[in-house]
Amino acid sequence: MAAHTPWQRNRALAIVESYRGQRGTLLPILHDLQHEFGFINDEAVPVLAQALNLSRAEVHGVISFYHDFKRQPQGRTVVKLCRAEACQSVGANRLVAHAERRLGVTMGGTSADGSVTLEGVFCLGNCALGPAVMVDDQLHGRVDTVRFDSIAGDIR
Amino acid sequence: MTEAMTAEQITLYVPRDAAALSMGADKVAAMLRIEADRRGVDVRIVRNGSHGMLWLEPLVEVATPLGRMAYGPVTPDDVAGLFDAGFLEGMAHPLCHGLTLEIPYLKNQERLTFARCGIVDPVSVEDYRNHGGFAGLERALTMTSAEIIAEVTESGLRGRGGAGFPTGIKWKTVGDAVADEKFICCNADEGDSGTFADRMIMEGDPFILVEGMTIAAIAVGAKQGYIYIRSEYPHAVATMREAIRLAYQQKWLGHGIHGSTHSFDLEVRVGAGAYICGEETSMLESLEGKRGTVRAKPPLPALEGLFGKPTVVNNVLSLTSVPVILARGAKYYKDFGVGRSRGTQPFQLGGNIRHGGIVEKAFGITLHELLYNFGGGSASGRPIRAVQVGGPLGAYLPPEHFDTPKDYEAFAAREAMVGHGGIVVFDDTVDMAHQARFAMEFCAAESCGKCTPCRIGAVRGVEIMDRILAGTAPADKQLTLLEDLCEVMADGSLCAMGGLTPMPVRSAIKHFPEDFHRPAAAIAAE
Ligand SMILES: Cc1cc2nc3c(=O)[nH]c(=O)nc-3n(C[C@H](O)[C@H](O)[C@H](O)COP(=O)(O)O)c2cc1C
Ligand code: SF4
Ligand code: FES
């Protein structure tokens, strides 16, 4: 996982600036901020509100609506387990239980050492090769417990 | 390898499709390179899209004088053995499936939209052109807007995103609207479990979407387009962006498209993990940078869509059906299909299925043919007990209904829907009460929160299902409560999220009642 930089107001403003002249840019900006800093810092809210001429409540409302945008730092590696129907049909629920045990975190949680966040998602578009798991941007298919353990073994 | 082999370059194909990558395609490609170098053979490795035979991924192909030979599923450990067996000359090997195009799964399809997927290099305009690409757009550039719209209407194409609305009629509404600005928005949110055709075509043949959207733009007079891709699809996002960059470079986008006076700008926007943003008005809100709450209709997006301007919102598969309609004519397309379901649909076989993947066939094919002739039955080898068709809001059907032909009206008659063409298979270990509970849980998690029947109703639905699962209350009474709730949700929800969640629930109860009358002892099984 790419290392994230600590919050810098100037960097955030530069990201906002890079979208100048385009419309409806709050989501792309939030994606970029999260990519840069690892999560959406509270301090970003007033910065975005002012730069985009929105109220803080509006910015806040958008951040909280979308599952992707996180208000707290995430683990260095983010493991997303598919919990949707096609993966259920080949044992996704069992895999969830196994993953929680193996990583020592519950779904939605981050390990105490900050190494890994475990998240449930609905469908990764790999429904013929389930259970599907995404580790950062890397997709894995047919993840049984053995395969999961080998993936988990690479997490630092 | 013989000396002669080194003189000629051999072309290998290893898919870059996310499903292939998920089974180690990158490692296989790297190993092929190492092994070829070690043996001093000159190979060119093309990273193609997937042919859609996903159980064979990573599927490695070798170009031979007879055609492309298929080997799969290949692991890095198989590579040396393949070289030893002479796979570069298309020789036999336990993983060899013969010529790719002769594999029955592929051969028995009717590929119009997916015709090039797996065959071409996805990010080569030249390859796209050489395989008939941009022929539809070239023809459209010689036609009037009205003629293009008439052609699409005549083809019988209906929206592949779920609702099945006639595409030509939608385009006409936008075309007739008078405004200073119009938009084409491609819905690539593909949130339904069991669907991956949008992803695969964007990763395997992205120019077809550029072409389809450009034709739509010319037809309705739009100058700007957006493709809204869900964030769970990083590979599709990257491939689409690369294709758009190349299309600009070669004048298939931007000012003066292909020497004409038409202009069209196209951009990818990435979702942020909200299923509801696949609903078109929610998607438009999201594209505007807002919360993805659903808008009341009217006004239709066709009249007041993105930034309040007339907007075409179409699914990826609707837009990627357009190039062939323009290139070969409405009649050619319309001759596929049955009744009011014309053309083909790339059906997607997922879940507990032996041969999962893309099966593009004309409408009219039955579930049974898809599940057994193509799918080969369940992956577990156990009997198939249920399939969910059309995503998380679609019905669960039992084997007695597998004779249903894929046809919008035939499915509606059975209180089911074709939807985006996804078919999710469950074997006889499935617990349908759990699936009904999940439908409610999903709705509760993904509701946009705008209306009470959906937001609160789904939470109540989970509670009722928990009581049924626990066997702590009389099932009949709970099922009556659940049916009342379904009625409220179906009748009182603003959009199909709350409105159709009852479909999987009711179908599960109707077709699998035995799973809903549980002994109290079932608690222990939880
Ligand atoms: C909850 C919900 C989710 C939807 N998700 C999608 C989706 O992921 N992709 C899609 O194309 N349409 C989706 N739709 C349907 C769209 O609202 C819309 O009908 C479609 O994009 C129109 O394009 P089409 O006419 O080409 O099908 C969804 C609808 C609802 C109610
Ligand atoms: S039915 Fe659900 S998702 Fe649709 S508008 Fe109402 S609350 Fe939002
Ligand atoms: S349902 Fe798990 S990847 Fe689609």
Side-chain angles (χ1 to χ4, degrees):
Chain A
M1 184 73 189
H4 299 297
T5 48
W7 166 256
Q8 287 169 42
R9 188 187 155 86
N10 281 344
R11 182 70 198 112
L13 284 170
I15 287 172
V16 174
E17 186 62 24
S18 71
Y19 287 95
R20 188 204 276 282
Q22 297 181 43
R23 284 179 289 187
T25 53
L26 185 50
L27 262 74
I29 289 171
L30 287 170
H31 275 304
D32 283 5
L33 290 177
Q34 180 146 308
H35 188 74
E36 182 84 14
F37 305 118
F39 68 107
I40 309 292
N41 198 295
D42 283 343
E43 292 177 59
V45 176
V47 172
L48 292 177
Q50 196 186 9
L52 300 174
N53 202 16
L54 299 166
S55 73
R56 290 180 186 200
E58 282 172 301
V59 175
H60 199 282
V62 170
I63 296 170
S64 62
F65 183 85
Y66 296 96
H67 300 299
D68 278 4
F69 300 132
K70 311 296 182 187
R71 307 301 305 272
Q72 280 94 38
Q74 301 294 291
R76 288 187 294 281
T77 300
V78 177
V79 177
K80 294 179 179 169
L81 297 188
C82 176
R83 294 188 46 223
E85 293 91 333
C87 288
Q88 289 167 18
S89 77
V90 286
N93 291 336
R94 281 193 304 278
L95 187 66
V96 167
H98 176 82
E100 288 182 332
R101 269 198 311 276
R102 174 64 179 76
L103 299 176
V105 281
T106 50
M107 291 300 263
T110 300
S111 63
D113 64 357
S115 65
V116 61
T117 295
L118 184 62
E119 227 183 283
V121 294
F122 296 123
C123 195
L124 293 165
N126 202 22
C127 327
L129 296 170
V133 174
M134 182 122 58
V135 180
D136 296 333
D137 270 355
Q138 188 104 34
L139 185 62
H140 299 268
R142 295 226 164 111
V143 184
D144 54 16
T145 53
V146 175
R147 252 170 90 88
F148 185 86
D149 289 349
S150 108
I151 294 167
D154 292 339
I155 295 173
R156 292 287 167 261
Chain B
M1 288 302 98
T2 62
E3 293 296 303
M5 287 303 299
T6 57
E8 254 178 79
Q9 193 182 48
I10 298 166
T11 304
L12 299 178
Y13 296 85
V14 184
R16 51 186 277 161
D17 177 274
L21 297 180
S22 84
M23 299 306 289
D26 275 347
K27 289 197 179 112
V28 170
M31 189 57 84
L32 286 166
R33 170 57 60 206
I34 290 169
E35 199 61 32
D37 289 351
R38 200 171 69 78
R39 296 173 190 240
V41 248
D42 184 14
V43 302
R44 179 174 78 108
I45 300 177
V46 175
R47 302 305 302 269
N48 57 337
S50 168
H51 287 283
M53 298 178 284
L54 295 176
W55 76 99
L56 294 179
E57 296 293 358
L59 182 78
V60 175
E61 292 173 279
V62 185
T64 77
L66 293 176
R68 280 154 70 166
M69 293 291 281
Y71 298 83
V74 177
T75 67
D77 291 346
D78 295 321
V79 168
L82 284 166
F83 274 89
D84 289 342
F87 89 121
L88 291 181
E89 293 134 280
M91 303 296 271
H93 184 277
L95 294 177
C96 183
H97 302 278
L99 293 169
T100 311
L101 296 180
E102 294 298 319
I103 298 173
Y105 194 88
L106 207 50
K107 192 177 181 169
N108 295 331
Q109 297 194 26
E110 292 155 304
R111 289 203 163 185
L112 302 184
T113 297
F114 272 77
R116 271 177 301 265
C117 194
I119 293 174
V120 293
D121 176 349
V123 287
S124 161
V125 175
E126 196 191 351
D127 237 14
Y128 186 66
R129 290 286 279 162
N130 288 341
H131 287 83
F134 288 127
L137 176 54
E138 279 184 308
R139 179 162 170 249
L141 287 170
T142 68
M143 296 161 74
T144 65
S145 299
E147 285 167 351
I148 299 171
I149 292 172
E151 191 89 47
V152 172
T153 307
E154 179 56 29
S155 75
L157 177 65
R158 291 167 70 174
R160 303 288 190 243
F165 189 84
T167 304
I169 293 175
K170 188 182 282 188
W171 288 17
K172 185 166 191 319
T173 309
V174 178
D176 288 347
V178 181
D180 57 344
E181 210 179 7
K182 297 177 186 179
F183 295 100
I184 309 294
C185 293
C186 172
N187 190 340
D189 200 49
E190 198 167 62
D192 290 1
S193 165
T195 64
F196 42 83
D198 294 353
R199 178 185 66 65
M200 288 189 63
I201 199 78
M202 288 191 287
E203 291 175 0
D205 193 19
F207 293 113
I208 196 176
L209 183 54
V210 173
E211 182 177 356
M213 290 184 76
T214 307
I215 294 169
I218 294 169
V220 305
K223 297 269 181 288
Q224 172 75 47
Y226 294 96
I227 307 174
Y228 186 90
I229 307 180
R230 64 200 300 254
S231 61
E232 292 84 350
Y233 285 3
H235 302 92
V237 169
T239 307
M240 227 36 254
R241 285 193 166 140
E242 174 66 1
I244 288 172
R245 191 183 66 77
L246 292 168
Y248 269 105
Q249 213 176 58
Q250 307 199 19
K251 294 268 175 210
W252 291 102
L253 280 174
H255 290 291
I257 291 167
H258 201 49
S260 73
T261 55
H262 291 283
S263 304
F264 183 52
D265 286 306
L266 184 56
E267 197 183 308
V268 169
R269 285 289 175 87
V270 181
Y275 176 77
I276 193 59
C277 288
E279 194 283 333
E280 56 185 1
T281 63
S282 166
M283 182 189 79
L284 294 173
E285 290 287 302
S286 189
L287 278 170
E288 291 181 8
K290 301 177 185 155
R291 292 164 69 90
T293 35
V294 172
R295 297 178 186 168
K297 288 188 260 189
L300 290 174
L303 296 174
E304 289 178 41
L306 189 64
F307 304 113
K309 306 292 181 183
T311 302
V312 169
V313 179
N314 271 139
N315 174 252
V316 175
L317 297 181
S318 315
L319 290 162
T320 53
S321 299
V322 168
V324 71
I325 292 169
L326 268 292
R328 315 275 309 248
K331 184 173 179 309
Y332 174 79
Y333 191 79
K334 194 180 184 165
D335 281 348
F336 294 88
V338 290
R340 288 174 49 224
S341 306
R342 312 309 312 183
T344 60
Q345 165 92 310
F347 298 106
Q348 299 127 80
L349 297 176
N352 198 330
I353 184 91
R354 179 170 297 152
H355 297 157
I358 296 280
V359 180
E360 183 172 349
K361 283 295 279 183
F363 285 97
I365 185 172
T366 65
L367 269 175
H368 190 277
E369 288 172 86
L370 285 166
L371 293 170
Y372 295 99
N373 299 8
F374 286 93
S378 75
S380 61
R382 304 182 67 97
I384 296 177
R385 180 162 185 238
V387 296
Q388 187 178 27
V389 189
L393 309 176
Y396 283 100
L397 296 174
E400 299 86 84
H401 284 4
F402 289 176
D403 62 339
T404 315
K406 283 288 185 170
D407 164 5
Y408 292 105
E409 279 68 41
F411 265 69
R414 292 202 160 169
E415 295 165 340
M417 66 171 178
V418 173
H420 187 49
I423 299 166
V424 174
V425 179
F426 294 82
D427 71 13
D428 62 353
T429 59
V430 68
D431 181 337
M432 295 308 297
H434 274 287
Q435 298 312 122
R437 183 191 185 279
F438 178 78
M440 287 292 187
E441 183 192 350
F442 182 74
C443 182
E446 297 296 328
S447 164
C448 85
K450 187 158 180 161
C451 49
T452 323
C454 168
R455 188 184 69 241
I456 307 290
V459 177
R460 293 284 164 277
V462 173
E463 291 165 4
I464 297 174
M465 281 314 308
D466 279 340
R467 288 198 291 272
I468 292 176
L469 283 164
T472 48
D476 288 337
K477 219 163 145 189
Q478 297 303 316
L479 286 171
T480 310
L481 266 178
L482 190 58
E483 176 48 35
D484 289 349
L485 181 68
C486 283
E487 206 173 306
V488 172
M489 289 176 74
D491 297 345
S493 296
L494 183 57
C495 83
M497 177 86 222
L500 289 181
T501 290
M503 191 183 274
V505 176
R506 282 169 157 161
S507 60
I509 298 170
K510 179 173 173 184
H511 301 304
F512 308 91
E514 61 277 20
D515 288 15
F516 290 80
H517 294 269
R518 312 168 79 91
I523 308 167
E526 283 306 294

